[in-house]
Amino acid sequence: MPRSRKRRPKTGAPKSAPAIGAVLTAFEGRDFPLVVDRCWQILASEPGNIDALNILGGAFIELGDVDAAIDVLGRAISLKPGDPTIEANLGAALATAKRYGEAEAHLTEALSRAPGDVGVMVNLALAQFELGRFDRSGETFAAALALAPDNITILIGAIRAAGAGGNRTSAERYARSALAVDVQNPAMQRELTRVLHEHNLYEQGLAAANAALATSPASAGLHIDKGVVLSRLGRHDDALACFDAALGYEPDNADSMMWR
């Protein structure tokens, strides 16, 4: 979420602080059209209001208008170059637009001015990954994990970076750490299982699938994922049983029928 800096209004000038407070309240309530409207109202009288530009950029990202986000955040950074919050938000917007080289530059700048920001580290690592800089991505994920060792999202990213970079030892180490985390989110459980499979960590992938099915036994997708891992391990009868179980929950599931 965009962070704002409160300013004391100048005598005789429009009082922007209350407006910014109202905008932040609307942002926290996820009323992004209202945020956009109020930010434009502020900017109509204060075109250089950094907070309004920053929050407006965040609202545009949430609304899926990345080009507009990049435009207003670019305006903000031109007014205050090097501001870590704006650099981070602009970097995230550029990454969303798949402009990874520019994103890396802004996120690196943000991190240099605000070391230890885990969110910025993760976005930077993802941009580096997309640029094919797997070793650098792995180093950035490792730095983030030093601050948030049980963050499953970061661990999954670290597994990807290590696997893509050919560092199986690190991938296996991160996999063990990921399996030790109590993941309750079914989507994240599937993501972990798939990433482990993707990087040929089949035994770990099977363990992840079993842990996921313990909390979501009726998930056809998880049964399919487990069946795919079992097929890679040569356990074809067990794999068939998983695909049958998936069809029991979703009889028309095309993926299960194909894999079976």
Side-chain angles (χ1 to χ4, degrees):
M1 171 182 170
R3 288 161 283 184
S4 67
R5 294 164 294 282
K6 295 183 180 179
R7 295 182 178 82
R8 187 181 299 279
K10 298 178 182 178
T11 304
K15 295 182 179 181
S16 61
I20 288 295
V23 170
L24 284 171
T25 298
F27 197 104
E28 290 167 357
R30 304 191 64 79
D31 190 345
F32 301 118
L34 179 61
V35 171
V36 170
D37 181 66
R38 288 185 171 175
C39 282
W40 283 130
Q41 289 180 31
I42 295 169
L43 292 167
S45 58
E46 296 180 72
N49 189 304
I50 299 294
D51 288 334
L53 287 168
N54 188 34
I55 297 170
L56 179 59
F60 278 135
I61 291 174
E62 294 288 348
L63 291 169
D65 194 342
V66 180
D67 290 337
I70 292 171
D71 178 62
V72 295
L73 290 169
R75 285 170 55 188
I77 207 65
S78 69
L79 293 169
K80 194 168 184 182
D83 181 280
T85 300
I86 304 171
E87 292 280 8
N89 288 340
L90 178 55
L94 287 164
T96 302
K98 299 184 178 181
R99 293 164 58 176
Y100 299 115
E102 297 169 85
E104 182 188 30
H106 286 285
L107 291 165
T108 299
E109 179 67 17
L111 197 58
S112 72
R113 293 175 180 268
D117 189 316
V118 174
V120 175
M121 288 180 184
V122 171
N123 285 335
L124 176 58
L126 291 171
Q128 291 168 334
F129 182 91
E130 294 296 339
L131 289 167
R133 298 172 183 169
F134 303 126
D135 289 345
R136 291 181 64 180
S137 177
E139 291 170 0
T140 307
F141 275 124
L145 284 170
L147 299 173
D150 296 328
N151 187 304
I152 191 63
T153 300
I154 302 175
L155 283 165
I156 288 173
I159 293 168
R160 277 202 175 103
N167 190 339
R168 187 175 180 85
T169 300
S170 292
E172 290 177 341
R173 183 176 73 253
Y174 292 133
R176 287 193 296 271
S177 297
L179 290 171
V181 177
D182 184 15
V183 182
Q184 295 296 320
N185 184 317
M188 196 60 68
Q189 290 171 327
R190 286 201 71 185
E191 182 71 5
L192 175 59
T193 302
R194 288 177 171 183
V195 167
L196 292 169
H197 167 261
E198 177 184 324
H199 293 289
N200 305 325
L201 298 169
Y202 301 132
E203 293 291 350
Q204 296 91 335
L206 180 59
N210 284 330
L213 283 166
T215 57
S216 304
S219 170
L222 283 172
H223 283 287
I224 295 171
D225 293 342
K226 180 179 177 180
V228 172
V229 173
L230 285 166
S231 72
R232 300 303 188 206
L233 290 169
R235 295 170 56 180
H236 302 302
D237 289 341
D238 291 335
L240 284 170
C242 288
F243 300 137
D244 287 340
L247 289 169
Y249 291 110
E250 295 182 13
D252 298 324
N253 189 296
D255 285 337
S256 187
M257 288 187 280
M258 180 204 55
W259 276 104
R260 193 184 192 293

